[in-house]
Amino acid sequence: MSRGNDKKPVGFATQLTAGGIAGAMEALCCQPLDTIKVRMQLSRSGRAPGTKPRGFLATGAMIARRETPLALYKGLGAVLSGIVPKMAVRFASFEAYKDWLADKETGKTSLGNIFLAGLGAGTTEAVLVVTPMEVVKIRLQAQQHSLADPLEAPRYRNAGHAVYTIIREEGVSTLYRGVSLTALRQATNQGANFTAYQEIKKLAHKYQPELTELPSYQHMLIGLISGAMGPFSNAPIDTIKTRLQKATAEPGKSALQRITAIASDMWRQEGVRSFYKGITPRVLRVAPGQAIVFAVYERVRKVIEEMSPRDDSDVYTE
């Protein structure tokens, strides 16, 4: 992996291909954990005095028992349809923001500006791709119907039908419900993620100066560590967002009023722990997911560069 600053940045086609493949691998491996997380965030268990919210393993077992194990992959179509543009936007916008914030004389980007570039990348992907994708995904994941019973018809048959139904019944704007919370979540996720990834990778190169390219297992380990940063910092935002996007519109109420009402209801009826519902499967999904994304991205990028005459440098040049 080149660490110089005198080469051209990774081309958009490379970002699209490598990012799309990396994202698809992440989705296929981690979707069950995301479904469990969503169900835990929507669950009202633990409201009664002396009771505890249903845990991670119990929630997964209940889904598999009642709805078959395939139910753990509900919403996968929505995720896969949005994963290529999501990853392309993430990597391309991060690179663009990093270049804009780089020192004009040295061409290097400071740690603080890398964090700002990550914030910008997260916000951009949230507005352009993630919010409508997650509204559809959450609606599909929230459906508690058995895939083994053909007579138990779900409200939304698949991602395409969900989009059509939502737009027809609730309007296009519903696909962007919770965009502010999604942007805040994605911004903090990617700000922490890219900053930690770059700094840890720089440290790995420092202690292994003989390596021009880090092995895949190190990219995976660095991605695992950096990916765990976001969930702990923004779990309450993600839980409120999930409940907001699952709910139907309330006439006369603004987005801020609905967010405030959801948060107040959670605090009053379920306590502070409700804001961290689903944190276990979320960390277990996001951290390994980022490990997969970075490892696959770096590997696919390297293969593409070896096949191409173009002399691209790493998207994470330092």
Side-chain angles (χ1 to χ4, degrees):
M1 179 184 311
S2 176
R3 284 174 281 164
N5 293 309
D6 56 345
K7 295 183 179 180
K8 297 178 182 179
V10 171
F12 182 76
T14 300
Q15 292 168 347
L16 182 70
T17 306
I21 294 173
M25 289 297 296
E26 176 203 11
L28 289 169
C29 293
C30 302
Q31 183 67 11
L33 293 168
D34 190 69
T35 299
I36 294 171
K37 179 211 75 169
V38 167
R39 290 290 183 87
M40 289 179 71
Q41 290 176 333
L42 295 175
S43 171
R44 299 302 196 267
S45 65
R47 282 189 172 189
T51 63
K52 293 182 178 180
R54 188 178 294 109
F56 160 59
L57 293 176
T59 300
M62 184 186 69
I63 294 171
R65 184 175 63 254
R66 290 184 179 180
E67 307 168 49
T68 79
L70 284 176
L72 293 169
Y73 283 90
K74 285 180 177 178
L76 180 61
V79 174
L80 289 176
S81 65
I83 206 73
V84 172
K86 172 185 173 180
M87 290 300 173
V89 167
R90 174 182 297 179
F91 287 116
S93 60
F94 173 75
E95 182 68 16
Y97 295 140
K98 186 163 73 87
D99 287 345
W100 292 341
L101 294 168
D103 185 282
K104 303 306 178 186
E105 294 183 2
T106 64
K108 295 183 178 181
T109 309
S110 67
L111 180 63
N113 283 340
I114 287 173
F115 180 73
L116 290 178
L119 290 179
T123 302
T124 303
E125 72 175 15
V127 173
L128 295 182
V129 182
V130 177
T131 303
M133 180 184 75
E134 291 211 343
V135 170
V136 174
K137 174 183 71 71
I138 287 169
R139 294 292 183 94
L140 290 167
Q141 289 173 321
Q143 297 185 129
Q144 299 191 31
H145 69 288
S146 175
L147 297 177
D149 186 355
L151 298 178
E152 193 173 346
R155 177 176 174 78
Y156 308 114
R157 294 191 298 270
N158 50 50
H161 181 251
V163 171
Y164 172 77
T165 304
I166 291 169
I167 293 175
R168 185 189 64 191
E169 297 181 356
E170 303 175 58
V172 177
S173 62
T174 302
L175 293 174
Y176 284 88
R177 184 174 296 159
V179 64
S180 58
L181 292 177
T182 304
L184 183 58
R185 185 199 65 182
Q186 293 302 111
T188 51
N189 270 349
Q190 300 315 318
N193 193 12
F194 278 114
T195 304
Y197 185 83
Q198 292 237 51
E199 287 303 300
I200 298 173
K201 193 179 75 171
K202 187 186 297 182
L203 190 64
H205 277 297
K206 179 181 178 181
Y207 285 101
Q208 302 170 104
E210 73 282 0
L211 296 179
T212 56
E213 172 126 20
L214 297 177
S216 292
Y217 81 89
Q218 291 190 20
H219 286 302
M220 186 169 285
L221 181 60
I222 296 170
L224 183 74
I225 296 170
S226 65
M229 303 289 184
F232 286 110
S233 65
N234 56 31
I237 296 170
D238 189 58
T239 303
I240 296 170
K241 176 200 71 68
T242 296
R243 295 196 179 192
L244 176 68
Q245 291 178 326
K246 191 262 181 181
T248 54
E250 297 180 49
K253 276 193 174 183
S254 66
L256 180 59
Q257 288 174 322
R258 292 197 298 271
I259 290 169
T260 304
I262 290 170
S264 299
D265 181 69
M266 289 171 62
W267 178 272
R268 186 174 59 254
Q269 299 196 42
E270 301 173 66
V272 67
R273 290 178 62 181
S274 66
F275 292 93
Y276 288 87
K277 279 186 173 181
I279 185 65
T280 300
R282 185 168 177 232
V283 171
L284 289 176
R285 182 208 179 284
V286 173
Q290 291 306 303
I292 293 168
V293 164
F294 282 118
V296 174
Y297 182 91
E298 298 277 9
R299 179 56 55 189
V300 173
R301 175 199 56 76
K302 183 173 182 292
V303 170
I304 292 174
E305 289 176 354
E306 288 175 347
M307 294 171 61
S308 171
R310 175 173 173 166
D311 189 17
D312 289 350
S313 64
D314 188 353
V315 70
Y316 302 106
T317 51
E318 292 145 8

